[in-house]
Amino acid sequence: MAKRKSTPEAAREALILDIAQRRFFIETLETRNRDRLDFHDVAVWAIRDALEEAFEAGRRAATQP
């Protein structure tokens, strides 16, 4: 089986999904057209933590050659 080439876009999407899964316990970020699957109650501190993590990931990526 051929291995997919990792692109910056694919890596970004994987990181976003990872943060959502760990911080919000969301299975997928795909739209499923069901309110109970597409809308989630999330604590403000969890949103803050996820945004800080995403910001730090962006900062690290910007400093890499």
Side-chain angles (χ1 to χ4, degrees):
M1 186 181 298
K3 187 176 180 181
R4 285 187 179 184
K5 192 178 255 187
S6 180
T7 65
E9 295 81 17
R12 184 189 72 215
E13 290 299 318
L15 177 61
I16 291 170
L17 178 59
D18 181 58
I19 292 170
Q21 289 174 334
R22 286 184 296 102
R23 299 291 182 169
F24 306 134
F25 308 104
I26 294 174
E27 183 180 326
T28 181
L29 292 175
E30 297 297 320
T31 301
R32 295 183 277 179
N33 298 312
R34 305 282 307 247
D35 284 355
R36 68 182 182 81
L37 299 175
D38 291 338
F39 293 90
H40 304 275
D41 288 328
V42 180
V44 293
W45 56 84
I47 295 170
R48 182 182 182 88
D49 288 346
L51 290 170
E52 286 178 351
E53 186 175 345
F55 178 85
E56 286 302 317
R59 189 181 60 74
R60 282 191 307 271
T63 60
Q64 293 178 352

